[in-house]
Amino acid sequence: MTQFKDKTLLVTGASGHFGRLAVADLLERGATHVVAGTRDPSQLEDLAARGVEVRRLDFDDAASLAAGFAGVDRALIISTVADNRTVQQRAAVAAAAAAGVQHLVYTSAPNPRPNASGGGIADHFWTEQAIAASGLDFTLLRNNIYADMTIFGAASALASGQLFDATAGAGRNYVTRADAARTAAGALLGATGKEVYDVTGPAPVTQEELAALYTQLTGKPVARVGLSGEQLLGGLAAAGVPSFMAQLLVAFDLDAAEGYHAVSTDTVERFSGRKPQALADFLAANRAALG
């Protein structure tokens, strides 16, 4: 699925982990004119050396948005992590439309909705609304929680022997960041029309099963402890997790409790050409990082 490989393809946030993976996959799959957008072009000198056009692209700077999207046929907008990301991303969508971009790919989240209690989930809802209202064709990729986050959460679980969550025992369908990035690159290269996809791993995994994986791979006993959303938020705050991230993690847990993260799709295989990596295999491959 590379029918647009000769178009001008923009990846925003290209200096981040996800953006770099997406750019690498575009090059591997034969894209001939890749544009990498970043607030700091000096971070992408290695990509420039590979023939990638690097542009300064700051979602808080209207002039850089206009210049960044100029001449672009198709763009991947990678969601930001700023407190004002709804404003940022709406500005990016408006700039893309003004520049004549034909198709937008956006990294969203499962079950986006406007309620304020959803943490950063509302930002995805309003960005999706802006994209739908732009008149452009689009591919909305509702990425499930990244398997990579289980490595981030392993240290405290292994140190305390307890894995805290507010999922009410429900499963979540972890997808690796690499699989999600390859999916986004594939959509940029081949998706058409106006479509919405859930991006998932191969099967849901409960937090009890995750605790068992930690134990199996490290030999350190870990038990799953269920909490309310309020209790989990308080614990994350006490552990020093930034407020924005803590609220987002709790919102994801509460959505999982409602079953929104237990969906399984073929989206990764459809756009990347390979089956998604299972969480157990991902953790086994990254055993050294678990500690």
Side-chain angles (χ1 to χ4, degrees):
M1 185 181 286
T2 58
Q3 61 177 309
F4 299 113
K5 69 177 182 178
D6 295 323
K7 296 291 187 179
T8 299
L9 309 175
L10 168 67
V11 176
T12 73
S15 59
H17 295 301
F18 191 104
R20 279 187 169 275
L21 289 167
V23 169
D25 196 61
L26 289 171
L27 296 175
E28 184 177 327
R29 295 168 74 173
T32 59
H33 188 190
V34 178
V35 180
T38 177
R39 289 176 296 178
D40 182 3
S42 68
Q43 295 186 27
L44 296 181
E45 291 177 355
D46 59 317
L47 292 182
R50 297 179 63 187
V52 174
E53 180 184 351
V54 177
R55 298 182 183 178
R56 180 177 177 274
L57 187 60
D58 184 340
F59 283 15
D60 292 317
D61 182 344
S64 82
L65 283 173
F69 282 100
V72 170
D73 297 307
R74 298 167 64 86
L76 165 60
I77 296 179
I78 298 174
S79 55
T80 69
V81 293
D83 289 338
N84 67 328
R85 71 175 173 180
T86 297
V87 173
Q88 288 182 330
Q89 293 171 174
R90 280 175 164 174
V93 171
V101 173
Q102 298 161 12
H103 193 107
L104 289 178
V105 179
Y106 173 65
T107 59
S108 189
N111 189 37
R113 57 201 186 280
N115 56 309
S117 64
I121 303 299
D123 299 331
H124 292 298
F125 174 86
W126 293 117
T127 302
E128 286 193 4
Q129 293 295 303
I131 292 171
S134 70
L136 306 181
D137 281 350
F138 58 80
T139 307
L140 304 179
L141 298 174
R142 293 177 173 173
N143 293 341
N144 271 248
I145 191 166
Y146 295 143
D148 309 60
M149 293 299 293
T150 62
I151 294 178
F152 170 79
S156 60
L158 291 168
S160 67
Q162 295 178 308
L163 177 63
F164 300 99
D165 72 85
T167 64
R172 56 177 14 140
N173 209 329
Y174 292 95
V175 63
T176 69
R177 183 186 282 114
D179 278 338
R182 284 189 287 261
T183 298
L188 196 59
L189 285 166
T192 59
K194 296 177 170 65
E195 300 286 350
V196 182
Y197 296 92
D198 282 299
V199 181
T200 78
V205 177
T206 67
Q207 295 305 284
E208 185 171 349
E209 290 169 329
L210 175 57
L213 284 171
Y214 285 155
T215 300
Q216 174 188 333
L217 292 169
T218 68
K220 300 176 182 178
V222 178
R224 178 254 173 181
V225 179
L227 302 175
S228 68
E230 289 185 0
Q231 289 172 325
L232 181 60
L233 185 62
L236 291 170
V241 177
S243 176
F244 177 84
M245 180 59 68
Q247 291 180 29
L248 186 59
L249 291 173
V250 172
F252 262 56
D253 269 27
L254 295 179
D255 271 10
E258 294 294 325
Y260 292 114
H261 291 191
V263 175
S264 299
T265 72
D266 67 349
T267 304
V268 170
E269 186 171 7
R270 175 194 297 263
F271 287 114
S272 75
R274 64 182 79 182
K275 292 184 181 297
Q277 186 177 31
L279 179 62
D281 294 333
F282 172 80
L283 287 174
N286 290 277
R287 183 184 313 211
L290 295 177

